[in-house]
Amino acid sequence: IIDSILVVTIIINCSFFVFNMLPIPPLDGSRLLYAVAPEPLQNVMEAIERAGFFVLLAVLFVLLPVIGPLVSSGVNSLVNILL
């Protein structure tokens, strides 16, 4: 039973990691994109980040059919590497 708890904990942690790395403001993936983006795109990203949480909710509701499988495949890949 300890093994299954550990596996579930790893899967949840990997899910949070993959989700957090999506390039959607205010998630951390957008900060990585901001570091390499040209200045006009940085200005747009700053404007989007001011609305932060509401933009994130809107994007998630609209793009959930796309983001869900993306996060799922990323988590599956990480779990296969770790286990």
Side-chain angles (χ1 to χ4, degrees):
I1 188 153
I2 301 261
D3 293 342
S4 61
I5 291 173
L6 183 61
V7 168
V8 169
T9 303
I10 290 171
I11 290 172
I12 291 172
N13 195 17
C14 289
S15 299
F16 283 135
F17 169 75
V18 171
F19 177 76
N20 197 32
M21 293 313 292
L22 293 174
I24 303 169
L27 300 177
D28 289 337
S30 67
R31 290 179 182 29
L32 289 175
L33 181 62
Y34 182 84
V36 297
E39 189 172 337
L41 183 58
Q42 288 178 351
N43 295 336
V44 170
M45 290 174 66
E46 286 177 4
I48 292 172
E49 194 166 0
R50 287 188 193 116
F53 183 70
F54 298 110
V55 171
L56 178 63
L57 284 178
V59 168
L60 287 178
F61 281 124
V62 171
L63 296 179
L64 191 60
V66 175
I67 293 174
L70 177 71
V71 170
S72 178
S73 66
V75 168
N76 288 336
S77 298
L78 282 173
V79 169
N80 287 335
I81 290 170
L82 294 173
L83 300 177

